[in-house]
Amino acid sequence: MRLPLPTPLLAVEAADTVRRGVGAVVLATPGDPVVLGPGGDDVEVTAEVTGGAGTTTKPGARWVLGVGSGTPSDWRTAGANLVRALNGDVERGGATTFDVLLTPDADVRSFVLGLVLGGYRFKVTGQDAPKRIKSLRLVGADAEAVRVAADLAAATALTRDLANAPSNVKDPAWLATTAAKLAGAVPGLGVQVRDEKWLAASGFGGVLAVGSGSSRPPRLVHLTWEGAKTGPHVVLVGKGITFDTGGISVKPAEGMHLMRTDMAGGAAVIAAMIAIARRSLPVRVTGLVPSAENHVSGTSYRPGDVVRHFGGLTTEVTNTDAEGRMVMADALAYAVDELGADVLVDVATLTGAMKISLGVRTGGLFASDDALAAAIADAGKRVGEAWWRMPLLEDLAEDVKSDIADLRQCPPGPGGITAALFLREFTGGLPWAHLDIAGPARSEKNYDEVVAGATGYAARTLVEFVENYGR
């Protein structure tokens, strides 16, 4: 089965002038009376025109879009709701291109993110796709700001594509091949795909153990961008579990279908690497995505097994459903021992505990270094992704130790913290951050620029962080 990806996205460009004979969108902010932006002199202000963020009305020939108080969230909501309203109008025979007349204080980056991502749609279907708005021109926008925001939106959308793909198609080989194909189209972005034979010869015991129950063997995706000869070498590691049954510690049936998105962290790393290379950022960065399918069979790994990871550390398995940390441990150790990493950032849908702690709109941030934690949180704030720093409680560190192996996979206690403490054992003392996106990687409804399904969370943060770290 061929999947419709990358998903076609709305084209957004900057412009200096308004086109004749083309529909226009006027911006509005709340007030008494409502304040209209450029082009609003002849617009009738009806009771429906409130200026509230994301409100869309068409009192006459022009659309009126409310941008609220002008926060980044307001601008993303405004952009998303505008494109959804225009798409609905296109289905009724409306125009497919418009000029949006910006105000001088417009948050162009947030607005473009909303416009491009709010209309995102992933559906595997035999029917013709519905008609959609094709392009928008932002009159008065800075062209560079539009381009950067569109690149960030494309990274988010690609992450969504990969995570939304159904797992009857998306096995580790498909994910690796797709990543290689996409990366191969970007000049200068190196890509290697390592198969199960290479993983076995190299000692990736965690990846092999998790993948042992599936007839579809594991892979490691290795992406390299050498945009600079100096500066810190950042290694990004993303969990690439293409489907997670829980293994022998099998998950409840309810909600298991959502496990097609359990490789959302790996998808974010792939998409971020492609965006970094497309923008030719002057940085040194490597992306690693250990990928496996955690299945149930007579060859599955078991609770009580002892697994030897890359580099030699051993882990006592206590729950086969805690498979993400097993594959991530191999990749982190590989980055430390073989790649000359200066800083490590991993991202994963790792623990249900983090979803309980922070809900579904905020990612958990663990870090061994205060400056690194601040850099990631600040990057997320600039691109509209929220992170909350969680503690690495040293009084729990000893619980990660095992009586029969070096480490214990699932110690008792707060699951998100103990999972992070387990991963820390493979970081070699380097500056390291762990991003747990179990909550925000999926959504059941639309909000701001997010649509139901995979959200693409973390891809924008990774790009923004890598661009600015160490400068």
Side-chain angles (χ1 to χ4, degrees):
M1 181 189 300
R2 297 188 64 182
L3 299 181
L5 63 92
T7 292
L9 300 175
L10 173 70
V12 180
E13 62 178 305
D16 296 324
T17 59
V18 179
R19 293 174 292 181
R20 291 184 178 181
V22 173
V25 179
V26 174
L27 304 185
T29 55
D32 189 15
V34 173
V35 179
L36 298 180
D41 292 343
D42 56 352
V43 172
E44 179 184 3
V45 179
T46 65
E48 295 178 335
V49 179
T50 66
T55 55
T56 55
T57 56
K58 193 178 181 185
R62 296 185 170 185
W63 287 83
V64 178
L65 172 67
V67 296
S69 60
T71 66
S73 177
D74 284 346
W75 280 102
R76 294 196 308 274
T77 298
N81 285 8
L82 174 62
V83 76
R84 290 165 187 158
L86 294 180
N87 280 338
D89 193 56
V90 169
E91 292 182 17
R92 297 186 293 270
T96 59
T97 184
F98 285 84
D99 290 344
V100 182
L101 312 182
L102 295 186
T103 54
D105 60 347
D107 182 344
V108 173
R109 175 183 281 199
S110 298
F111 191 46
V112 171
L113 287 174
L115 290 171
V116 176
L117 294 171
Y120 172 90
R121 179 181 185 270
F122 183 95
K123 189 171 184 178
V124 182
T125 176
Q127 301 176 355
D128 293 336
K131 294 182 179 179
R132 290 289 185 260
I133 185 79
K134 293 181 179 179
S135 64
L136 292 174
R137 294 167 78 250
L138 307 186
V139 180
D142 175 74
E144 179 65 10
V146 172
R147 186 184 69 83
V148 169
D151 286 343
L152 291 173
T156 301
L158 178 57
T159 305
R160 291 178 181 180
D161 284 345
L162 295 173
N164 280 326
S167 294
N168 60 318
V169 175
K170 181 178 60 186
D171 64 2
W174 181 92
L175 180 62
T177 300
T178 300
K181 180 179 179 181
L182 294 169
V186 184
L189 181 58
V191 57
Q192 293 176 305
V193 174
R194 304 298 194 181
D195 64 13
E196 69 275 22
K197 294 180 181 178
W198 184 93
L199 292 168
S202 301
F204 279 66
V207 178
L208 291 167
V210 173
S212 63
S214 176
S215 62
R216 308 196 291 182
R219 294 288 186 270
L220 174 71
V221 181
H222 184 160
L223 298 157
T224 306
W225 172 249
E226 293 283 352
K229 298 298 182 182
T230 60
H233 178 199
V234 179
V235 177
L236 308 176
V237 177
K239 173 183 169 183
I241 301 299
T242 56
F243 193 76
D244 182 19
T245 66
I248 288 177
S249 307
V250 67
K251 292 178 179 293
E254 183 180 359
M256 192 189 290
H257 64 286
L258 297 175
M259 290 301 100
R260 63 177 174 267
T261 67
D262 207 24
M263 38 60 69
V269 167
I270 293 168
M273 290 295 298
I274 290 171
I276 288 164
R278 281 179 175 164
R279 293 181 56 195
S280 296
L281 295 182
V283 294
R284 293 192 299 155
V285 59
T286 296
L288 298 176
V289 180
S291 181
E293 185 176 69
N294 190 23
H295 229 298
V296 185
S297 76
T299 58
S300 297
Y301 79 129
R302 295 159 291 266
D305 285 0
V306 173
V307 172
R308 187 178 299 278
H309 294 279
F310 182 91
L313 281 178
T314 58
T315 292
E316 174 193 1
V317 177
T318 53
N319 183 342
T320 64
D321 193 24
E323 82 300 328
R325 69 198 71 181
M326 298 293 290
V327 302
M328 302 279 279
D330 281 345
L332 288 168
Y334 181 68
V336 173
D337 293 348
E338 297 293 326
L339 302 185
D342 295 311
V343 60
L344 302 168
V345 179
D346 74 69
V347 55
T349 51
L350 205 66
T351 66
M354 197 53 52
K355 184 176 181 180
I356 294 171
S357 298
L358 298 178
V360 296
R361 299 192 185 187
T362 303
L365 165 60
F366 298 84
S368 63
D369 181 272
D370 290 343
L372 176 59
I376 291 173
D378 289 345
K381 185 176 182 180
R382 290 193 297 271
V383 298
E385 293 180 335
W387 302 96
W388 187 267
R389 190 174 183 186
M390 300 292 292
L392 289 165
L393 300 176
E394 291 303 327
D395 60 304
L396 299 175
E398 280 301 309
D399 293 339
V400 179
K401 306 300 182 182
S402 168
D403 293 333
I404 66 169
D406 294 318
L407 303 172
R408 180 166 47 162
Q409 179 200 31
C410 290
I417 296 173
T418 55
L421 289 169
F422 174 87
L423 290 176
R424 189 177 67 172
E425 296 291 327
F426 298 88
T427 62
L430 292 176
W432 156 76
H434 161 57
L435 308 181
D436 193 330
I437 58 170
R442 294 180 287 269
S443 179
E444 295 182 358
K445 61 182 179 180
N446 296 351
Y447 65 90
D448 293 349
E449 79 286 2
V450 172
V451 299
T455 65
Y457 211 85
R460 302 200 299 265
T461 295
L462 294 179
V463 176
E464 184 76 6
F465 162 73
V466 167
E467 180 176 7
N468 294 282
Y469 185 71
R471 291 192 178 185

